Amino acid sequence: MPRILIVAPNWIGDTLLAQPLFASLHRRLPGVILDALAPDWTAPIMQRMPEISAVSRTQFRHGELRLKDRWRLGRELKQQGYDQAIVLPNSFKSALIPFFADIPLRVGYVGESRYGLLNVVHKLDAKRLPLMADRYAQLAEVPGKPVESQLEATRLRVDHANLLITVARLGLDRSRPVVAFCPGAEYGPAKRWPVRHFAALAGHLAARGMTVWLIGSDKDRAIGEEIAALATLAEGRVINLCGHTDLTAAIDLLSAAQLVVSNDSGLMHVAAALGRPLIALYGSSSAEHTPPLTGDGPPARLVQFEGLECRPCFKRECPLGHFRCMNDLTAESVLREIAAIDSEQFALRSE
Ligand code: SF4
């Protein structure tokens, strides 16, 4: 039975967009065992993927080399006898551990000139493969053989016991329908819908009898506080949970939402993988590059400012200063998108 080590991406969203590759490996190699080597902050995503057997966590921070530690980890992994490694990040560092582990086949994109570290080397044709998910799926093919775009759905397991524990710990009331907002975006402010728009939308939804949970990391705590403070029309029905959960609890809380409104961020991909009806807001990025992979599941409405010449610029901060791609997406326009999602089918209701 072949054993493959996946070196996971450094971003939550990218980790989910790699899931079609894992599904494809299982189809091609029945009985294959896929283990993952993942940084602490994406490991919970890998642990919830049905295709992944075991996850080893790494403690390397962004940009850290720590050559000796990588060598040591590589030698430990050698004992596992992997037949192949697939290295998803493009950095030189990320290809070192499979090399130190003497894994015979080491697959990945050239990235930072990784000839030698990798021995099955793909060259990225970014125009032919605009979708991130297809770029990863390409790595299951022989280099040069085009991949067939599948865009199958991502999916994560939910831990229902952990959901109940988290709800109790945070004292959350689930008697009303819950809409989850994910107002952060680690990449930068050019991907974040303005807090005043989130607050205005929260007011509209609270008036229809819904509770709004703000979900994000500790880095999003201040954004959450600002939204809750601005949402004066929401009558206390906006609960800032940013920074109050780890990623595992955030996954389970999102699974309990009737609707998720999210920036183009890792949690947006998590919501899609949980099969939640989703409003995805795109600013400087593009739905043509990283759409949520919902398959045949509940709908995702992708909201982006069409016809704005500077879009998508893919910058972390707006280089033009006006930030029209997000400023001009009003709460009312997002509300119209929500209305377009079948209210009966997805249990959204008004008082
Ligand atoms: S340049 Fe345009 S697309 Fe980029 S952040 Fe500014 S408004 Fe948005």
PDB file of all heavy atoms in Angstrom, residues 291-325:
ATOM      1  N   PRO A 291     -12.057  30.452  -5.912  1.00  0.00           N
ATOM      2  CA  PRO A 291     -13.475  30.344  -5.520  1.00  0.00           C
ATOM      3  C   PRO A 291     -13.645  29.301  -4.429  1.00  0.00           C
ATOM      4  O   PRO A 291     -12.840  28.359  -4.332  1.00  0.00           O
ATOM      5  CB  PRO A 291     -14.145  29.875  -6.816  1.00  0.00           C
ATOM      6  CG  PRO A 291     -13.084  29.108  -7.532  1.00  0.00           C
ATOM      7  CD  PRO A 291     -11.777  29.782  -7.194  1.00  0.00           C
ATOM      8  N   PRO A 292     -14.677  29.439  -3.591  1.00  0.00           N
ATOM      9  CA  PRO A 292     -14.957  28.372  -2.633  1.00  0.00           C
ATOM     10  C   PRO A 292     -15.415  27.142  -3.396  1.00  0.00           C
ATOM     11  O   PRO A 292     -16.187  27.251  -4.347  1.00  0.00           O
ATOM     12  CB  PRO A 292     -16.101  28.961  -1.789  1.00  0.00           C
ATOM     13  CG  PRO A 292     -16.731  29.999  -2.657  1.00  0.00           C
ATOM     14  CD  PRO A 292     -15.660  30.522  -3.553  1.00  0.00           C
ATOM     15  N   LEU A 293     -14.950  25.970  -2.982  1.00  0.00           N
ATOM     16  CA  LEU A 293     -15.287  24.741  -3.711  1.00  0.00           C
ATOM     17  C   LEU A 293     -16.483  24.075  -3.028  1.00  0.00           C
ATOM     18  O   LEU A 293     -16.335  23.309  -2.087  1.00  0.00           O
ATOM     19  CB  LEU A 293     -14.079  23.799  -3.748  1.00  0.00           C
ATOM     20  CG  LEU A 293     -12.815  24.384  -4.395  1.00  0.00           C
ATOM     21  CD1 LEU A 293     -11.706  23.350  -4.453  1.00  0.00           C
ATOM     22  CD2 LEU A 293     -13.107  24.929  -5.790  1.00  0.00           C
ATOM     23  N   THR A 294     -17.665  24.397  -3.513  1.00  0.00           N
ATOM     24  CA  THR A 294     -18.891  23.921  -2.870  1.00  0.00           C
ATOM     25  C   THR A 294     -19.505  22.726  -3.591  1.00  0.00           C
ATOM     26  O   THR A 294     -20.448  22.124  -3.084  1.00  0.00           O
ATOM     27  CB  THR A 294     -19.935  25.050  -2.814  1.00  0.00           C
ATOM     28  OG1 THR A 294     -20.067  25.589  -4.117  1.00  0.00           O
ATOM     29  CG2 THR A 294     -19.519  26.140  -1.861  1.00  0.00           C
ATOM     30  N   GLY A 295     -19.012  22.408  -4.786  1.00  0.00           N
ATOM     31  CA  GLY A 295     -19.565  21.264  -5.532  1.00  0.00           C
ATOM     32  C   GLY A 295     -21.060  21.416  -5.729  1.00  0.00           C
ATOM     33  O   GLY A 295     -21.549  22.483  -6.095  1.00  0.00           O
ATOM     34  N   ASP A 296     -21.799  20.328  -5.445  1.00  0.00           N
ATOM     35  CA  ASP A 296     -23.254  20.371  -5.607  1.00  0.00           C
ATOM     36  C   ASP A 296     -23.945  20.804  -4.320  1.00  0.00           C
ATOM     37  O   ASP A 296     -25.155  20.697  -4.191  1.00  0.00           O
ATOM     38  CB  ASP A 296     -23.792  18.973  -5.983  1.00  0.00           C
ATOM     39  CG  ASP A 296     -23.184  18.497  -7.278  1.00  0.00           C
ATOM     40  OD1 ASP A 296     -22.891  19.352  -8.126  1.00  0.00           O
ATOM     41  OD2 ASP A 296     -23.002  17.270  -7.422  1.00  0.00           O
ATOM     42  N   GLY A 297     -23.186  21.257  -3.345  1.00  0.00           N
ATOM     43  CA  GLY A 297     -23.755  21.594  -2.038  1.00  0.00           C
ATOM     44  C   GLY A 297     -24.536  22.889  -2.075  1.00  0.00           C
ATOM     45  O   GLY A 297     -24.852  23.415  -3.146  1.00  0.00           O
ATOM     46  N   PRO A 298     -24.868  23.404  -0.883  1.00  0.00           N
ATOM     47  CA  PRO A 298     -25.608  24.661  -0.802  1.00  0.00           C
ATOM     48  C   PRO A 298     -24.882  25.783  -1.543  1.00  0.00           C
ATOM     49  O   PRO A 298     -23.678  25.712  -1.750  1.00  0.00           O
ATOM     50  CB  PRO A 298     -25.643  24.941   0.703  1.00  0.00           C
ATOM     51  CG  PRO A 298     -25.460  23.617   1.332  1.00  0.00           C
ATOM     52  CD  PRO A 298     -24.569  22.842   0.417  1.00  0.00           C
ATOM     53  N   PRO A 299     -25.612  26.793  -1.945  1.00  0.00           N
ATOM     54  CA  PRO A 299     -25.045  27.787  -2.852  1.00  0.00           C
ATOM     55  C   PRO A 299     -24.056  28.729  -2.186  1.00  0.00           C
ATOM     56  O   PRO A 299     -24.135  28.996  -0.995  1.00  0.00           O
ATOM     57  CB  PRO A 299     -26.280  28.582  -3.291  1.00  0.00           C
ATOM     58  CG  PRO A 299     -27.242  28.425  -2.176  1.00  0.00           C
ATOM     59  CD  PRO A 299     -27.001  27.077  -1.591  1.00  0.00           C
ATOM     60  N   ALA A 300     -23.134  29.201  -2.987  1.00  0.00           N
ATOM     61  CA  ALA A 300     -22.260  30.293  -2.564  1.00  0.00           C
ATOM     62  C   ALA A 300     -22.497  31.442  -3.530  1.00  0.00           C
ATOM     63  O   ALA A 300     -22.506  31.243  -4.742  1.00  0.00           O
ATOM     64  CB  ALA A 300     -20.816  29.855  -2.609  1.00  0.00           C
ATOM     65  N   ARG A 301     -22.783  32.616  -3.011  1.00  0.00           N
ATOM     66  CA  ARG A 301     -22.905  33.813  -3.854  1.00  0.00           C
ATOM     67  C   ARG A 301     -21.586  34.564  -3.746  1.00  0.00           C
ATOM     68  O   ARG A 301     -21.179  34.944  -2.651  1.00  0.00           O
ATOM     69  CB  ARG A 301     -24.052  34.707  -3.374  1.00  0.00           C
ATOM     70  CG  ARG A 301     -25.357  34.001  -3.141  1.00  0.00           C
ATOM     71  CD  ARG A 301     -26.136  33.710  -4.374  1.00  0.00           C
ATOM     72  NE  ARG A 301     -26.500  34.896  -5.129  1.00  0.00           N
ATOM     73  CZ  ARG A 301     -27.259  34.865  -6.219  1.00  0.00           C
ATOM     74  NH1 ARG A 301     -27.705  33.709  -6.678  1.00  0.00           N
ATOM     75  NH2 ARG A 301     -27.560  35.963  -6.857  1.00  0.00           N
ATOM     76  N   LEU A 302     -20.924  34.734  -4.871  1.00  0.00           N
ATOM     77  CA  LEU A 302     -19.618  35.381  -4.869  1.00  0.00           C
ATOM     78  C   LEU A 302     -19.831  36.855  -5.200  1.00  0.00           C
ATOM     79  O   LEU A 302     -20.303  37.191  -6.293  1.00  0.00           O
ATOM     80  CB  LEU A 302     -18.697  34.729  -5.893  1.00  0.00           C
ATOM     81  CG  LEU A 302     -18.652  33.190  -5.823  1.00  0.00           C
ATOM     82  CD1 LEU A 302     -17.639  32.627  -6.816  1.00  0.00           C
ATOM     83  CD2 LEU A 302     -18.338  32.708  -4.423  1.00  0.00           C
ATOM     84  N   VAL A 303     -19.515  37.725  -4.259  1.00  0.00           N
ATOM     85  CA  VAL A 303     -19.819  39.142  -4.429  1.00  0.00           C
ATOM     86  C   VAL A 303     -18.525  39.895  -4.681  1.00  0.00           C
ATOM     87  O   VAL A 303     -17.621  39.907  -3.847  1.00  0.00           O
ATOM     88  CB  VAL A 303     -20.503  39.705  -3.159  1.00  0.00           C
ATOM     89  CG1 VAL A 303     -20.923  41.144  -3.384  1.00  0.00           C
ATOM     90  CG2 VAL A 303     -21.709  38.851  -2.782  1.00  0.00           C
ATOM     91  N   GLN A 304     -18.442  40.505  -5.856  1.00  0.00           N
ATOM     92  CA  GLN A 304     -17.275  41.318  -6.163  1.00  0.00           C
ATOM     93  C   GLN A 304     -17.698  42.468  -7.059  1.00  0.00           C
ATOM     94  O   GLN A 304     -18.677  42.366  -7.789  1.00  0.00           O
ATOM     95  CB  GLN A 304     -16.162  40.492  -6.802  1.00  0.00           C
ATOM     96  CG  GLN A 304     -16.572  39.641  -7.985  1.00  0.00           C
ATOM     97  CD  GLN A 304     -15.470  38.678  -8.452  1.00  0.00           C
ATOM     98  OE1 GLN A 304     -14.358  38.704  -7.968  1.00  0.00           O
ATOM     99  NE2 GLN A 304     -15.789  37.848  -9.425  1.00  0.00           N
ATOM    100  N   PHE A 305     -16.957  43.559  -6.988  1.00  0.00           N
ATOM    101  CA  PHE A 305     -17.290  44.761  -7.746  1.00  0.00           C
ATOM    102  C   PHE A 305     -16.894  44.527  -9.209  1.00  0.00           C
ATOM    103  O   PHE A 305     -15.717  44.561  -9.543  1.00  0.00           O
ATOM    104  CB  PHE A 305     -16.526  45.956  -7.172  1.00  0.00           C
ATOM    105  CG  PHE A 305     -17.004  47.293  -7.685  1.00  0.00           C
ATOM    106  CD1 PHE A 305     -17.266  48.324  -6.797  1.00  0.00           C
ATOM    107  CD2 PHE A 305     -17.183  47.534  -9.038  1.00  0.00           C
ATOM    108  CE1 PHE A 305     -17.708  49.560  -7.256  1.00  0.00           C
ATOM    109  CE2 PHE A 305     -17.622  48.755  -9.509  1.00  0.00           C
ATOM    110  CZ  PHE A 305     -17.877  49.771  -8.614  1.00  0.00           C
ATOM    111  N   GLU A 306     -17.914  44.251 -10.035  1.00  0.00           N
ATOM    112  CA  GLU A 306     -17.625  43.997 -11.449  1.00  0.00           C
ATOM    113  C   GLU A 306     -17.381  45.324 -12.164  1.00  0.00           C
ATOM    114  O   GLU A 306     -18.009  46.326 -11.852  1.00  0.00           O
ATOM    115  CB  GLU A 306     -18.812  43.271 -12.121  1.00  0.00           C
ATOM    116  CG  GLU A 306     -19.223  41.956 -11.459  1.00  0.00           C
ATOM    117  CD  GLU A 306     -18.184  40.845 -11.579  1.00  0.00           C
ATOM    118  OE1 GLU A 306     -17.205  41.019 -12.327  1.00  0.00           O
ATOM    119  OE2 GLU A 306     -18.344  39.824 -10.882  1.00  0.00           O
ATOM    120  N   GLY A 307     -16.479  45.309 -13.094  1.00  0.00           N
ATOM    121  CA  GLY A 307     -16.283  46.487 -13.956  1.00  0.00           C
ATOM    122  C   GLY A 307     -15.358  47.534 -13.371  1.00  0.00           C
ATOM    123  O   GLY A 307     -15.190  48.593 -13.981  1.00  0.00           O
ATOM    124  N   LEU A 308     -14.755  47.272 -12.229  1.00  0.00           N
ATOM    125  CA  LEU A 308     -13.797  48.228 -11.678  1.00  0.00           C
ATOM    126  C   LEU A 308     -12.434  47.900 -12.297  1.00  0.00           C
ATOM    127  O   LEU A 308     -11.918  46.794 -12.108  1.00  0.00           O
ATOM    128  CB  LEU A 308     -13.754  48.081 -10.152  1.00  0.00           C
ATOM    129  CG  LEU A 308     -13.012  49.155  -9.366  1.00  0.00           C
ATOM    130  CD1 LEU A 308     -13.676  50.518  -9.544  1.00  0.00           C
ATOM    131  CD2 LEU A 308     -12.994  48.788  -7.877  1.00  0.00           C
ATOM    132  N   GLU A 309     -11.883  48.867 -13.015  1.00  0.00           N
ATOM    133  CA  GLU A 309     -10.707  48.581 -13.843  1.00  0.00           C
ATOM    134  C   GLU A 309      -9.497  48.061 -13.064  1.00  0.00           C
ATOM    135  O   GLU A 309      -8.732  47.243 -13.551  1.00  0.00           O
ATOM    136  CB  GLU A 309     -10.291  49.845 -14.604  1.00  0.00           C
ATOM    137  CG  GLU A 309     -10.782  49.828 -16.021  1.00  0.00           C
ATOM    138  CD  GLU A 309     -10.361  51.048 -16.795  1.00  0.00           C
ATOM    139  OE1 GLU A 309      -9.309  51.617 -16.475  1.00  0.00           O
ATOM    140  OE2 GLU A 309     -11.113  51.420 -17.699  1.00  0.00           O
ATOM    141  N   CYS A 310      -9.346  48.554 -11.844  1.00  0.00           N
ATOM    142  CA  CYS A 310      -8.155  48.159 -11.073  1.00  0.00           C
ATOM    143  C   CYS A 310      -8.267  46.758 -10.472  1.00  0.00           C
ATOM    144  O   CYS A 310      -7.281  46.243  -9.957  1.00  0.00           O
ATOM    145  CB  CYS A 310      -7.887  49.176  -9.967  1.00  0.00           C
ATOM    146  SG  CYS A 310      -9.318  49.448  -8.898  1.00  0.00           S
ATOM    147  N   ARG A 311      -9.443  46.138 -10.526  1.00  0.00           N
ATOM    148  CA  ARG A 311      -9.649  44.806  -9.936  1.00  0.00           C
ATOM    149  C   ARG A 311      -9.283  43.707 -10.915  1.00  0.00           C
ATOM    150  O   ARG A 311      -9.617  43.829 -12.092  1.00  0.00           O
ATOM    151  CB  ARG A 311     -11.117  44.600  -9.560  1.00  0.00           C
ATOM    152  CG  ARG A 311     -11.532  45.057  -8.239  1.00  0.00           C
ATOM    153  CD  ARG A 311     -12.798  44.353  -7.764  1.00  0.00           C
ATOM    154  NE  ARG A 311     -12.492  43.002  -7.324  1.00  0.00           N
ATOM    155  CZ  ARG A 311     -12.823  41.889  -7.962  1.00  0.00           C
ATOM    156  NH1 ARG A 311     -13.495  41.927  -9.078  1.00  0.00           N
ATOM    157  NH2 ARG A 311     -12.496  40.716  -7.486  1.00  0.00           N
ATOM    158  N   PRO A 312      -8.748  42.599 -10.447  1.00  0.00           N
ATOM    159  CA  PRO A 312      -8.193  42.423  -9.103  1.00  0.00           C
ATOM    160  C   PRO A 312      -6.725  42.851  -9.083  1.00  0.00           C
ATOM    161  O   PRO A 312      -5.996  42.540 -10.024  1.00  0.00           O
ATOM    162  CB  PRO A 312      -8.306  40.910  -8.898  1.00  0.00           C
ATOM    163  CG  PRO A 312      -8.171  40.337 -10.296  1.00  0.00           C
ATOM    164  CD  PRO A 312      -8.712  41.361 -11.251  1.00  0.00           C
ATOM    165  N   CYS A 313      -6.308  43.541  -8.059  1.00  0.00           N
ATOM    166  CA  CYS A 313      -4.907  43.976  -7.994  1.00  0.00           C
ATOM    167  C   CYS A 313      -4.075  43.034  -7.137  1.00  0.00           C
ATOM    168  O   CYS A 313      -2.855  43.075  -7.182  1.00  0.00           O
ATOM    169  CB  CYS A 313      -4.813  45.400  -7.459  1.00  0.00           C
ATOM    170  SG  CYS A 313      -5.212  45.529  -5.701  1.00  0.00           S
ATOM    171  N   PHE A 314      -4.740  42.184  -6.338  1.00  0.00           N
ATOM    172  CA  PHE A 314      -4.086  41.198  -5.465  1.00  0.00           C
ATOM    173  C   PHE A 314      -3.138  41.833  -4.451  1.00  0.00           C
ATOM    174  O   PHE A 314      -2.237  41.184  -3.943  1.00  0.00           O
ATOM    175  CB  PHE A 314      -3.343  40.131  -6.284  1.00  0.00           C
ATOM    176  CG  PHE A 314      -4.250  39.276  -7.132  1.00  0.00           C
ATOM    177  CD1 PHE A 314      -4.292  39.431  -8.510  1.00  0.00           C
ATOM    178  CD2 PHE A 314      -5.103  38.346  -6.550  1.00  0.00           C
ATOM    179  CE1 PHE A 314      -5.136  38.658  -9.288  1.00  0.00           C
ATOM    180  CE2 PHE A 314      -5.953  37.563  -7.323  1.00  0.00           C
ATOM    181  CZ  PHE A 314      -5.973  37.726  -8.693  1.00  0.00           C
ATOM    182  N   LYS A 315      -3.327  43.140  -4.190  1.00  0.00           N
ATOM    183  CA  LYS A 315      -2.460  43.802  -3.191  1.00  0.00           C
ATOM    184  C   LYS A 315      -3.016  43.582  -1.787  1.00  0.00           C
ATOM    185  O   LYS A 315      -4.204  43.352  -1.600  1.00  0.00           O
ATOM    186  CB  LYS A 315      -2.395  45.311  -3.458  1.00  0.00           C
ATOM    187  CG  LYS A 315      -1.871  45.671  -4.831  1.00  0.00           C
ATOM    188  CD  LYS A 315      -0.384  45.506  -4.895  1.00  0.00           C
ATOM    189  CE  LYS A 315       0.138  46.090  -6.199  1.00  0.00           C
ATOM    190  NZ  LYS A 315       1.294  45.420  -6.732  1.00  0.00           N
ATOM    191  N   ARG A 316      -2.116  43.712  -0.824  1.00  0.00           N
ATOM    192  CA  ARG A 316      -2.548  43.578   0.579  1.00  0.00           C
ATOM    193  C   ARG A 316      -3.253  44.850   1.050  1.00  0.00           C
ATOM    194  O   ARG A 316      -4.134  44.817   1.881  1.00  0.00           O
ATOM    195  CB  ARG A 316      -1.348  43.308   1.477  1.00  0.00           C
ATOM    196  CG  ARG A 316      -0.753  41.929   1.240  1.00  0.00           C
ATOM    197  CD  ARG A 316       0.521  41.744   2.039  1.00  0.00           C
ATOM    198  NE  ARG A 316       1.220  40.533   1.624  1.00  0.00           N
ATOM    199  CZ  ARG A 316       1.120  39.342   2.225  1.00  0.00           C
ATOM    200  NH1 ARG A 316       0.370  39.217   3.290  1.00  0.00           N
ATOM    201  NH2 ARG A 316       1.771  38.307   1.778  1.00  0.00           N
ATOM    202  N   GLU A 317      -2.799  46.002   0.551  1.00  0.00           N
ATOM    203  CA  GLU A 317      -3.454  47.282   0.877  1.00  0.00           C
ATOM    204  C   GLU A 317      -3.779  47.982  -0.429  1.00  0.00           C
ATOM    205  O   GLU A 317      -3.057  47.825  -1.409  1.00  0.00           O
ATOM    206  CB  GLU A 317      -2.514  48.165   1.708  1.00  0.00           C
ATOM    207  CG  GLU A 317      -2.285  47.597   3.086  1.00  0.00           C
ATOM    208  CD  GLU A 317      -1.459  48.521   3.961  1.00  0.00           C
ATOM    209  OE1 GLU A 317      -1.559  49.745   3.773  1.00  0.00           O
ATOM    210  OE2 GLU A 317      -0.737  48.000   4.812  1.00  0.00           O
ATOM    211  N   CYS A 318      -4.838  48.791  -0.430  1.00  0.00           N
ATOM    212  CA  CYS A 318      -5.240  49.444  -1.676  1.00  0.00           C
ATOM    213  C   CYS A 318      -4.168  50.449  -2.114  1.00  0.00           C
ATOM    214  O   CYS A 318      -3.918  51.428  -1.402  1.00  0.00           O
ATOM    215  CB  CYS A 318      -6.583  50.161  -1.487  1.00  0.00           C
ATOM    216  SG  CYS A 318      -7.100  51.032  -2.981  1.00  0.00           S
ATOM    217  N   PRO A 319      -3.551  50.231  -3.284  1.00  0.00           N
ATOM    218  CA  PRO A 319      -2.505  51.164  -3.721  1.00  0.00           C
ATOM    219  C   PRO A 319      -3.075  52.505  -4.188  1.00  0.00           C
ATOM    220  O   PRO A 319      -2.354  53.481  -4.291  1.00  0.00           O
ATOM    221  CB  PRO A 319      -1.827  50.425  -4.886  1.00  0.00           C
ATOM    222  CG  PRO A 319      -2.859  49.464  -5.386  1.00  0.00           C
ATOM    223  CD  PRO A 319      -3.736  49.108  -4.226  1.00  0.00           C
ATOM    224  N   LEU A 320      -4.386  52.550  -4.454  1.00  0.00           N
ATOM    225  CA  LEU A 320      -4.993  53.788  -4.946  1.00  0.00           C
ATOM    226  C   LEU A 320      -5.632  54.607  -3.818  1.00  0.00           C
ATOM    227  O   LEU A 320      -6.031  55.746  -4.026  1.00  0.00           O
ATOM    228  CB  LEU A 320      -6.051  53.474  -6.013  1.00  0.00           C
ATOM    229  CG  LEU A 320      -5.537  52.688  -7.225  1.00  0.00           C
ATOM    230  CD1 LEU A 320      -6.671  52.387  -8.199  1.00  0.00           C
ATOM    231  CD2 LEU A 320      -4.432  53.464  -7.941  1.00  0.00           C
ATOM    232  N   GLY A 321      -5.757  53.996  -2.666  1.00  0.00           N
ATOM    233  CA  GLY A 321      -6.273  54.740  -1.513  1.00  0.00           C
ATOM    234  C   GLY A 321      -7.788  54.772  -1.418  1.00  0.00           C
ATOM    235  O   GLY A 321      -8.327  54.849  -0.317  1.00  0.00           O
ATOM    236  N   HIS A 322      -8.519  54.675  -2.548  1.00  0.00           N
ATOM    237  CA  HIS A 322      -9.989  54.823  -2.451  1.00  0.00           C
ATOM    238  C   HIS A 322     -10.689  53.525  -2.020  1.00  0.00           C
ATOM    239  O   HIS A 322     -11.778  53.545  -1.493  1.00  0.00           O
ATOM    240  CB  HIS A 322     -10.587  55.354  -3.765  1.00  0.00           C
ATOM    241  CG  HIS A 322     -10.283  54.526  -4.983  1.00  0.00           C
ATOM    242  ND1 HIS A 322     -10.663  53.221  -5.114  1.00  0.00           N
ATOM    243  CD2 HIS A 322      -9.632  54.846  -6.142  1.00  0.00           C
ATOM    244  CE1 HIS A 322     -10.281  52.765  -6.300  1.00  0.00           C
ATOM    245  NE2 HIS A 322      -9.629  53.734  -6.944  1.00  0.00           N
ATOM    246  N   PHE A 323     -10.068  52.396  -2.265  1.00  0.00           N
ATOM    247  CA  PHE A 323     -10.577  51.094  -1.852  1.00  0.00           C
ATOM    248  C   PHE A 323     -12.030  50.891  -2.291  1.00  0.00           C
ATOM    249  O   PHE A 323     -12.866  50.372  -1.553  1.00  0.00           O
ATOM    250  CB  PHE A 323     -10.439  50.962  -0.325  1.00  0.00           C
ATOM    251  CG  PHE A 323     -10.600  49.547   0.201  1.00  0.00           C
ATOM    252  CD1 PHE A 323     -10.212  48.431  -0.536  1.00  0.00           C
ATOM    253  CD2 PHE A 323     -11.152  49.311   1.457  1.00  0.00           C
ATOM    254  CE1 PHE A 323     -10.355  47.143  -0.049  1.00  0.00           C
ATOM    255  CE2 PHE A 323     -11.310  48.027   1.960  1.00  0.00           C
ATOM    256  CZ  PHE A 323     -10.907  46.946   1.204  1.00  0.00           C
ATOM    257  N   ARG A 324     -12.294  51.312  -3.530  1.00  0.00           N
ATOM    258  CA  ARG A 324     -13.684  51.232  -4.006  1.00  0.00           C
ATOM    259  C   ARG A 324     -14.188  49.794  -4.139  1.00  0.00           C
ATOM    260  O   ARG A 324     -15.390  49.543  -4.028  1.00  0.00           O
ATOM    261  CB  ARG A 324     -13.809  51.938  -5.365  1.00  0.00           C
ATOM    262  CG  ARG A 324     -13.879  53.454  -5.233  1.00  0.00           C
ATOM    263  CD  ARG A 324     -14.295  54.084  -6.536  1.00  0.00           C
ATOM    264  NE  ARG A 324     -15.629  53.675  -6.948  1.00  0.00           N
ATOM    265  CZ  ARG A 324     -16.047  53.682  -8.218  1.00  0.00           C
ATOM    266  NH1 ARG A 324     -15.234  54.077  -9.186  1.00  0.00           N
ATOM    267  NH2 ARG A 324     -17.268  53.309  -8.518  1.00  0.00           N
ATOM    268  N   CYS A 325     -13.285  48.858  -4.390  1.00  0.00           N
ATOM    269  CA  CYS A 325     -13.731  47.463  -4.601  1.00  0.00           C
ATOM    270  C   CYS A 325     -14.517  46.952  -3.404  1.00  0.00           C
ATOM    271  O   CYS A 325     -15.412  46.116  -3.559  1.00  0.00           O
ATOM    272  CB  CYS A 325     -12.541  46.559  -4.911  1.00  0.00           C
ATOM    273  SG  CYS A 325     -11.333  46.455  -3.593  1.00  0.00           S
TER     274      CYS A 325
END
